[in-house]
Amino acid sequence: MPDHQSLHPDAPWRELVTTDADWDAADPELLATMFHQLVLIRAFEEYVLELAGAGLVHGPAHSSIGQEGGAVGSVLALAPGDEVNGSHRGHHQFLAKALQHVAPKGFDLTAELPDEIRTLLLRTLGEICGLDRGFSHGRGGSMHLQWKEAGAMGTNAIVGGGVPLAAGFAWACRHAGTDAVAATYFGDGAANIGSTLETFNLAAAWQLPVCFFLENNQYAVSTSVAEATGEPRLSARGPGFGIASWRVDGMNPLAVHLAMREATAHMRAGRGPTLVEADTYRYFHQNGPFPGSAFRYRDKDEEARWRARDPIDQVASHLVRRGLLTAEARAAAVAGARAAMDAAGSTLLESLPGGKPGERRIRPGEWPDPTFVNVGVRGDLREFDGVRTADGDVAVHEAKFIDVVAEVMRRRMETDDRIIVLGEDVHRLNGGTNGATKGLKAAFPDRVLGTPISENAFTGLAGGIALDGRFRPVVEFMYADFMWVAADQLFNQVAKARHMFGGDGPVPLVLRSKSAAGTGYGSQHSMDPAGVYATSAGWRIVAPSTPFDYVGLMNAALRCDDPVVVLEHVDLYNSTGEAPVDDYDYCLPVGKAAVRRTGEAVTVLTYLSMVAETLAAADETGVDAEVIDLRWLDRASLDWETVGESIRKTNRILIVEQGAVGTSYGGWLADEIQRRFFDWLDAPIQRVTGGEASPSISKVLERAAIARADEVAGALRQIGEA
């Protein structure tokens, strides 16, 4: 018979339980701060539910009533320089961190509240109601609360979506040479999300000082933890990734605080990430003022058992027992919190003209101006003021495209120590799978980071680094198709962050992504992603077709305070062309295309490897085509002046791209041209694309699925014969 030996994870897993002795040993000022924060956050949440019931909150009102103990107890163990982000049910998380910022020594609800606290309540309530005085001018609302000055980096409406970002905050804190830590708050539902588990692994592998604070409130909407997983003790996930983990009663703020103190000491000592599971309970349904029993997935006895352990009652009872609080003082604190909320409400609300007694409305002057709707989707490019652009005195020579890719990154990393590079295998194989990072790991060992295969985690980590603002991450995707794996981080997080949080905050992230059509890598490694990124507000898109352009466009991308995707094509890597001899410091202007061939018969718009294919087709056919290399592809950066000037001359358009018609960039571009230049067109817009299907492995079928010079030549001949 085989011998069986039990295996145990190396990382500790503990349950922390407090006794009356712990409560007696607790600092009275700490307990008083806990009590007043809990009471104020509870009053805030009750007021939000009141407004939601009156129809004054547009959108969800995810109440944290019952869960305040976890947020307050944990945040009071953090230091001012620590950073947090949270979940869609995050009012208590946000307020706890913000209150720590504005009142680090605590406050007394029975006395006059400081103006800083009143302003915090007013701005937070304004944001939840969608009003201009909110932190994000009403764009974020209940689920997207951010105040970076306080270290509150943003709550998040995507389950598990904020977890990878927090790993980025932690990386930035450590790399900046501080002992600051990050904490990310998420619920039991997110404990089963791939991005969360990917981040557990990445944080443990890199020993990042991030606390995964898991608020286990027992239900993801109406599905219980026991239904959703075979191991309902969700902190069990931590040791499996090598993460020191704690389980604690989340209704007991002191127990949470003590566990978080141990966790922060572990992280500040450089021992890696931690996980704290706080068992807690939301008193109300997923959204709104009704309990779960009203929807029949919980029963009233269960709700009563949890309410009997209310966090405010627990802290108050020990304060009373120790002679630090009276029943009268408790009642006065509750009244003071309610008065503070009424004062905030009176600023935002007024009686509804002609309404019933007590019926209110938002004061008209509190709403944001509708013209603000698109402001801040991207930045205003002021970071380019005074920048040096390419001019005629740049000496050039013939160079291989891929060598220039590595060389310009080396130059920028020499001159800007904020730049870091991360991605799969970028630190090995003499520059990754194509040589794009050749020599960088040896030159900058702490700033070239080879990642696990976990696109969601490392893309989100880069997003967190960008939001933190101290560093500029450059992410490499081995193939463009992998963007679908990281779609949440690319499109819900990175692309939307600036606009969603008010339009002012930079998100300086560069993504290098390559297309491999024509190389035999098949359907899942060959797409052209330009059309997808063009439909995502927030991304800027550059598509270099020559070595010289790559230098200028990459420098522009690395200067830009918006996220920029730099598209590359494997067909170009081994090509040669003009490149700077030793000048790698110029930029090419944002929004400036290049006319590669002048002509009168038709305007051809193209990019990447299809520029050379189009030029070859024009020479072959003899059609007098004007070929424009777009270079910048996103809506805000496309060179409409150059395109328009050419259209008014030729009165015909041909859009050329290589990839499949379904995710086509040209579909969007044709629609936009139709809207802008219809009166100048003498014929319908023509397009060259690949087929409907993705490229196959078969050499013959792959060639049939993509466009090259032959397809462009065919289109040009038809135009020439018309």
Side-chain angles (χ1 to χ4, degrees):
M1 295 289 291
D3 183 26
H4 293 83
Q5 299 182 10
S6 295
L7 298 176
H8 303 280
D10 291 334
W13 181 28
R14 312 179 183 91
E15 183 163 12
L16 187 151
V17 180
T18 59
T19 65
D20 282 354
D22 296 307
W23 285 97
D24 290 341
D27 185 339
E29 290 186 5
L30 170 67
L31 296 183
T33 298
M34 279 185 182
F35 171 73
H36 288 282
Q37 282 201 13
L38 288 166
V39 170
L40 184 57
I41 293 172
R42 175 70 59 84
F44 183 94
E45 290 288 68
E46 290 173 342
Y47 197 80
V48 168
L49 288 183
E50 179 183 320
L51 296 188
L56 296 171
V57 175
H58 182 64
H62 296 121
S63 164
S64 67
I65 294 176
Q67 298 182 208
E68 305 95 337
V72 169
S74 60
V75 168
L76 286 174
L78 298 177
D82 297 336
E83 297 179 345
V84 307
N85 69 354
S87 67
H88 65 284
R89 189 181 312 283
H91 302 166
H92 58 320
Q93 302 153 3
F94 176 82
L95 285 171
K97 190 67 170 79
L99 285 168
Q100 181 200 48
H101 177 68
V102 299
K105 296 182 179 180
F107 56 90
D108 185 351
L109 286 167
T110 66
E112 182 72 17
L113 284 178
D115 289 342
E116 293 83 358
I117 292 180
R118 293 185 177 277
T119 300
L120 168 64
L121 297 175
L122 182 60
R123 292 190 69 189
T124 308
L125 188 63
E127 185 60 42
I128 290 170
C129 291
L131 308 182
D132 186 58
R133 74 168 68 232
F135 286 96
S136 299
H137 304 288
R139 283 180 177 162
S142 171
M143 297 187 290
H144 310 104
L145 296 167
Q146 183 192 69
W147 189 20
K148 290 176 70 173
E149 291 85 347
M153 305 298 285
T155 57
N156 206 292
I158 302 297
V159 173
V163 176
L165 300 174
F169 307 152
W171 188 93
C173 289
R174 186 182 68 182
H175 197 75
T178 75
D179 70 347
V181 304
T184 182
Y185 292 84
F186 57 96
D188 46 277
N192 302 317
I193 292 287
S195 59
T196 299
L197 302 177
E198 284 184 23
T199 309
F200 285 1
N201 179 68
L202 181 57
W206 289 4
Q207 293 289 283
L208 298 177
V210 56
C211 177
F212 300 102
F213 195 94
L214 200 170
E215 289 184 318
N216 184 353
N217 68 21
Q218 317 305 312
Y219 292 90
V221 188
S222 64
T223 302
S224 71
V225 171
E227 292 177 89
T229 180
E231 173 51 273
R233 299 171 302 172
L234 300 178
S235 48
R237 287 154 169 71
F241 288 95
I243 298 174
S245 301
W246 287 256
R247 191 181 187 210
V248 68
D249 178 6
M251 307 299 280
N252 180 333
L254 180 62
V256 173
H257 181 73
L258 294 175
M260 194 65 170
R261 274 176 39 183
E262 294 180 6
T264 54
H266 176 100
M267 293 184 290
R268 293 193 208 283
R271 297 166 62 193
T274 58
L275 190 156
V276 175
E277 177 191 10
D279 281 321
T280 185
Y281 200 74
R282 54 173 166 84
Y283 291 175
F284 294 94
H285 179 53
Q286 163 77 354
N287 176 34
F290 300 103
S293 57
F295 300 88
R296 299 184 180 180
Y297 62 87
R298 302 195 306 209
D299 62 58
K300 293 183 178 180
D301 288 342
E302 176 186 304
E303 292 171 344
R305 288 193 302 271
W306 282 95
R307 282 180 176 267
R309 299 195 294 112
D310 186 90
I312 297 177
D313 291 343
Q314 289 201 53
V315 175
S317 66
H318 286 287
L319 285 169
V320 169
R321 183 177 59 79
R322 291 181 58 183
L324 302 172
L325 182 71
T326 65
E328 293 77 13
R330 176 178 178 173
V334 172
R338 175 65 198 197
M341 294 312 305
D342 285 339
S346 68
T347 300
L348 302 178
L349 306 172
E350 65 182 13
S351 297
L352 179 65
K356 300 176 183 177
E359 198 170 4
R360 295 175 292 179
R361 71 172 184 180
I362 303 291
R363 294 183 186 273
E366 293 291 334
W367 294 109
D369 189 324
T371 61
F372 184 61
V373 61
N374 288 324
V375 174
V377 170
R378 302 168 190 82
D380 60 9
L381 300 177
R382 69 182 66 183
E383 62 270 28
F384 286 90
D385 290 349
V387 71
R388 180 188 155 230
T389 57
D391 49 42
D393 60 1
V394 175
V396 296
H397 68 144
E398 285 288 308
K400 187 181 289 188
F401 193 105
I402 192 62
D403 292 340
V404 168
V405 172
E407 194 58 36
V408 69
M409 189 59 64
R410 176 193 292 273
R411 175 60 178 161
R412 291 282 65 77
M413 294 181 79
E414 287 173 347
T415 59
D416 188 348
D417 59 11
R418 298 173 300 166
I419 296 173
I420 64 165
V421 174
L422 65 156
E424 295 159 7
D425 295 305
V426 296
H427 61 319
R428 297 276 164 78
L429 305 177
N430 197 27
T433 55
N434 291 102
T437 53
K438 182 179 180 180
L440 298 185
K441 180 65 175 178
F444 313 101
D446 297 330
R447 293 161 55 201
V448 178
L449 312 174
T451 67
I453 299 175
S454 52
E455 277 79 8
N456 244 317
F458 70 72
T459 303
L461 178 140
I465 292 172
L467 287 171
D468 173 90
R470 286 174 283 189
F471 301 95
R472 286 180 174 265
V474 179
V475 178
E476 178 182 304
F477 274 8
M478 198 176 289
Y479 293 93
D481 308 68
F482 297 175
M483 72 174 181
W484 298 119
V485 181
D488 174 47
Q489 295 302 316
L490 291 172
F491 303 122
N492 276 325
Q493 310 299 336
V494 172
K496 295 178 180 177
R498 179 192 278 270
H499 183 263
M500 183 170 66
F501 291 125
D504 296 324
V507 188
L509 182 148
V510 172
L511 171 65
R512 291 184 45 247
S513 185
K514 76 184 181 195
S515 172
T519 62
Y521 270 76
S523 296
Q524 296 176 338
H525 286 67
S526 303
M527 79 172 296
D528 174 357
V532 178
Y533 283 101
T535 63
S536 176
W539 281 100
R540 294 188 188 267
I541 311 167
V542 296
S545 66
T546 70
F548 188 91
D549 279 12
Y550 192 94
V551 173
L553 292 173
M554 177 54 81
N555 282 334
L558 288 169
R559 177 174 287 269
C560 189
D561 283 338
D562 297 322
V564 182
V565 57
V566 179
L567 301 181
E568 301 169 10
H569 198 294
V570 292
D571 280 357
L572 295 173
Y573 283 158
N574 289 318
S575 68
T576 60
E578 286 190 349
V581 174
D582 55 11
D583 180 356
Y584 283 84
D585 297 323
Y586 61 87
C587 288
L588 288 177
V590 177
K592 187 62 177 174
V595 179
R596 302 297 185 189
R597 185 181 193 272
T598 60
E600 302 285 340
V602 59
T603 298
V604 185
L605 305 178
T606 189
Y607 57 95
L608 281 183
S609 63
M610 293 307 290
V611 174
E613 302 273 3
T614 299
L615 292 172
D619 289 343
E620 175 191 339
T621 61
V623 174
D624 189 20
E626 181 147 292
V627 179
I628 297 177
D629 181 352
L630 291 172
R631 298 201 289 203
W632 293 88
L633 306 184
D634 59 277
R635 182 186 299 271
S637 310
L638 199 139
D639 187 352
W640 294 113
E641 182 178 351
T642 296
V643 170
E645 182 179 348
S646 182
I647 290 173
R648 284 187 285 270
K649 177 174 60 173
T650 68
N651 309 119
R652 300 187 72 119
I653 284 286
L654 174 65
I655 300 172
V656 172
E657 57 191 315
Q658 184 173 60
V661 67
T663 53
S664 164
Y665 174 75
W668 166 83
L669 182 58
D671 176 74
E672 193 70 23
I673 290 171
Q674 180 91 347
R675 296 173 188 277
R676 291 172 180 256
F677 303 108
F678 178 81
D679 289 343
W680 294 92
L681 295 175
D682 290 343
I685 297 170
Q686 301 297 307
R687 293 171 56 200
V688 171
T689 72
E692 180 179 1
S694 302
S696 304
I697 293 291
S698 165
K699 186 174 184 179
V700 172
L701 294 177
E702 180 184 49
R703 176 62 188 89
I706 63 177
R708 287 203 183 275
D710 289 347
E711 285 73 22
V712 182
L716 288 175
R717 288 191 183 99
Q718 288 183 0
I719 291 172
E721 294 167 359

